[in-house]
Amino acid sequence: MTKNYTRDYWESVLSGLKPEGRHFIDGAHRAAASGETFIRIRPMDGKPGAELARGNAADVDAAVASARAAFESGIWRKKEPLEKKKIMLKWADLIRAHGDELAMLETIDVGKPVMASLGVDVRLCADGIQFYGEMIDKMYDEIAPTGPNARALVRKVPLGVIGAITPWNYPMIIDAWKLGPAIAAGNSVVLKPAEQSSLSAIRLAELAVEAGLPAGVFNVVTGYGEETGKPLALHMDVDMIAFTGSTEVGKLIMGYAAQSNVKRVALELGGKSPLVVFEDADLDAAAVAAAWGCFYNSGETCHASTRLIVQRSVQDKLIAKIEAVTRSDIALKHPLDPAAQIGALIEEEHMNKVLAMIAAGEKEGARRAFGAERVMSETGGYYVSPGVFVDMTNDMSLARQEIFGPVLAAIPFDTEEEALKIANDTIYGLAGAVFTRDMDRAHRFSEEIHAGTVWINTYDMSNFATPFGGFKQSGFGRDRSVHAIDKYCDYKTIWQQFG
Ligand code: NAP
């Protein structure tokens, strides 16, 4: 029987929730070594939420020691592949079984609609763990070509201890993108979630142990970036940092790796993705893609289509269609309302930053077509309505900076050459799209837009089989797909001589 997800149902889930806010180290909860905590303010209503351990270098040391001990003991990496697979699949099942609770934890932390947390974030987190679990007993090593008296094995071996540092916009999904391949490859992990969104990570670790993952293989340390993320990235006994977050912090991570033990880094960073629309395109489809591509998750999406590069002849028509789609389909409501499509921004400080960027853009001459204002302030939460600015040029701040709010910059063009130049005129290269009925042109654009993913006549379609990540200052290394496992492994040659 399908559940009736009413507002009352979600209120009852919320009132029954007792979020755990301590670290998860060596299979058990642990308060911060300093005894310090911090309080998360809920973005949906501005009220105090969970109390979390405020980690520091001592907690990071303990988590890394636990991860190292688990790795060296071989308790996970040397287990039969079929056994490992069963544990990962059970973990995925437990995530699904606790979906409502996990969805609520994500919503109180992040402010996104609880139905989206359940239908998108929980689902994709479980799918991610399952995808890599299923790979475990299907990965083969290689035998290299040699002369007749030798045999050279090329083994793919785990790196050891992985530090994962993740952001707050899709916590559970991005955690799974790191945890799935890192753990499937046989590594141990210390995860430092964003200070704003630690609750789902702690619960994921509890469920992993319940599924049979040995203690120490997956640890969570909560706290602030400078106090926990930095010591993790500087740690001499961490073999790799898998980071998702801003380009600014990504650069620091590279520096920490260089200052410490030359650990590897994989960086999934920011974006300012172009969506190019030609006058021959299906404008209805383009409007739906542009609105959802930019406004889903309140614009707090790294690959959001924040730059609409539109042929001048159809700009007004397209903007009218985007406004109609936004007003009719993308309901901004309280996150516990099952009808909500988008909810609150992550915190007051971030909302104020978004509003300040909008104000600065208007000072530069950006012309507002609709929206992009603070709304629902009576709730105490941090809500900004989706909005569009038109007749922009690509040098204006709203077209260049990652806003991470529901703000779309429409930049008109006249020729194909000009459209491509604008699309690539950015420091980022995470994603892009082209809308046209001319398939030769679509092919040219898909080849020439410098981005990790390019969509043709759609936006944000993906599955686990496709790699995700950026070019340029959007980072390097890929999450998702079978290729994601490679970065958590190294090749080891074993040469055997006969005769
Ligand atoms: P952020 O400020 O860069 O933080 C990301 C993570 O790094 C958080 O856990 C943060 O901890 C930690 N951190 C901050 N300073 C640190 C330091 N000095 N050393 C080590 N760790 C540190 O990013 P965010 O605001 O959470 O997320 C938004 C950004 O992430 C956007 O730029 C977005 O484009 C990007 N993003 C990229 C992708 C992708 O796949 N390419 C996906 C999602 C998001 P605290 O929370 O405690 O500061």
Side-chain angles (χ1 to χ4, degrees):
M1 208 176 72
T2 49
K3 263 188 213 165
N4 190 10
Y5 285 115
T6 59
R7 172 84 185 246
D8 284 351
Y9 171 75
W10 286 118
E11 293 285 0
S12 74
V13 173
L14 177 59
S15 61
L17 215 58
K18 290 198 176 46
E20 172 62 59
R22 287 172 294 169
H23 306 311
F24 193 82
I25 298 174
D26 209 16
H29 297 292
R30 199 182 286 189
S34 67
E36 286 188 55
T37 59
F38 65 102
I39 301 288
R40 170 76 185 129
I41 301 297
R42 302 193 316 205
M44 66 184 181
D45 53 15
K47 290 185 180 153
E51 184 177 6
L52 294 133
R54 180 170 172 176
N56 64 24
D59 302 289
V60 170
D61 282 346
V64 172
S66 148
R68 175 60 63 192
F71 184 76
E72 296 302 336
S73 75
I75 192 169
W76 175 246
R77 75 189 151 98
K78 291 185 183 171
K79 212 182 257 311
E80 282 293 323
L82 195 60
E83 286 304 307
K84 284 194 276 190
K85 178 171 96 169
K86 279 185 191 160
I87 290 170
M88 297 264 308
L89 296 190
K90 186 164 177 205
W91 185 15
D93 284 344
L94 284 172
I95 292 168
R96 293 186 185 106
H98 291 271
D100 293 0
E101 177 200 352
L102 280 163
M104 186 56 73
L105 292 174
E106 203 79 322
T107 286
I108 58 176
D109 262 349
V110 180
K112 64 174 81 190
V114 70
M115 293 305 291
S117 296
L118 180 65
V120 178
D121 300 66
V122 172
R123 178 173 58 84
L124 293 181
C125 174
D127 288 354
I129 299 298
Q130 179 176 332
F131 183 93
Y132 293 103
E134 283 169 348
M135 275 186 71
I136 291 178
D137 62 347
K138 298 171 193 69
M139 292 187 281
Y140 293 80
D141 291 329
E142 296 168 3
I143 297 179
T146 59
N149 292 332
R151 184 181 297 145
L153 310 181
V154 182
R155 298 258 297 118
K156 220 171 177 184
V157 295
L159 293 176
V161 175
I162 309 297
I165 301 179
T166 53
W168 44 257
N169 56 345
Y170 295 94
M172 252 188 290
I173 297 177
I174 294 171
D175 291 349
W177 285 1
K178 317 285 186 214
L179 296 167
I183 293 176
N187 298 285
S188 299
V189 177
V190 176
L191 169 64
K192 193 292 228 211
E195 75 203 39
Q196 298 90 344
S197 58
S198 305
L199 299 179
S200 58
I202 298 167
R203 192 72 185 105
L204 286 180
E206 293 169 356
L207 294 175
V209 168
E210 193 180 326
L213 195 74
V217 175
F218 172 22
N219 308 274
V220 179
V221 181
T222 60
Y224 297 114
E226 273 280 319
E227 295 171 5
T228 48
K230 183 175 176 180
L232 184 62
L234 279 169
H235 207 288
M236 294 300 286
D237 204 23
V238 169
D239 298 290
M240 179 208 175
I241 293 288
F243 174 82
T244 297
S246 60
T247 297
E248 186 189 350
V249 177
K251 289 178 183 178
L252 293 177
I253 300 288
M254 290 183 89
Y256 300 150
Q259 288 160 41
S260 52
N261 58 344
V262 202
K263 58 177 68 65
R264 290 132 208 257
V265 294
L267 305 175
E268 298 275 9
L269 309 176
K272 193 75 188 172
S273 299
L275 187 153
V276 181
V277 181
F278 285 91
E279 61 189 4
D280 70 338
D282 175 343
L283 293 186
D284 291 321
V288 170
W292 283 101
C294 186
F295 302 144
Y296 183 69
N297 213 40
S298 300
E300 293 170 331
T301 301
C302 48
H303 59 278
S305 55
T306 45
R307 288 185 303 141
L308 175 69
I309 300 169
V310 52
Q311 200 148 17
R312 199 178 304 276
S313 52
V314 292
Q315 179 182 233
D316 293 349
K317 210 165 149 188
L318 183 62
I319 299 302
K321 285 177 186 289
I322 291 173
E323 182 170 3
V325 170
T326 305
R327 291 196 193 284
S328 68
D329 295 355
I330 307 182
L332 170 55
K333 289 180 185 294
H334 189 282
L336 299 195
D337 184 332
Q341 296 289 356
I342 57 172
L345 295 185
I346 189 72
E347 55 193 359
E348 185 172 24
E349 190 188 342
H350 181 64
M351 175 188 70
N352 289 337
K353 192 174 140 206
V354 169
L355 293 172
M357 288 169 104
I358 291 168
E362 284 191 299
K363 261 198 182 152
E364 283 173 30
R367 188 162 68 79
R368 188 192 302 249
F370 67 91
E373 292 160 328
R374 182 170 190 196
V375 290
M376 291 169 57
S377 54
E378 70 286 357
T379 61
Y382 315 124
Y383 301 87
V384 172
S385 62
V388 176
F389 288 84
V390 292
D391 291 327
M392 308 264 304
T393 52
N394 201 45
D395 56 356
M396 295 168 100
S397 60
L398 291 180
R400 296 208 82 75
Q401 293 169 2
E402 190 181 38
I403 301 170
F404 239 53
V407 182
L408 179 64
I411 306 159
F413 71 88
D414 295 303
T415 66
E416 180 177 324
E417 199 186 5
E418 191 189 354
L420 184 62
K421 196 162 167 243
I422 297 170
N424 282 330
D425 179 17
T426 167
I427 61 166
Y428 299 111
L430 197 50
V434 59
F435 277 74
T436 176
R437 286 192 167 93
D438 177 341
M439 281 301 119
D440 289 341
R441 178 157 60 193
H443 173 67
R444 283 196 295 278
F445 265 69
S446 66
E447 293 291 326
E448 296 302 326
I449 292 180
H450 299 312
T453 302
V454 180
W455 289 284
I456 297 174
N457 292 333
T458 187
Y459 204 83
D460 203 13
M461 298 301 290
S462 66
N463 63 22
F464 267 99
T466 52
F468 180 81
F471 290 3
K472 302 198 281 186
Q473 291 191 39
S474 290
F476 53 84
R478 291 291 178 267
D479 282 332
R480 285 201 326 231
S481 86
V482 295
H483 304 292
I485 274 201
D486 295 348
K487 63 181 185 284
Y488 299 105
C489 297
D490 212 340
Y491 290 106
K492 178 183 218 173
T493 300
I494 301 173
W495 184 286
Q496 214 178 346
Q497 194 69 38
F498 305 102

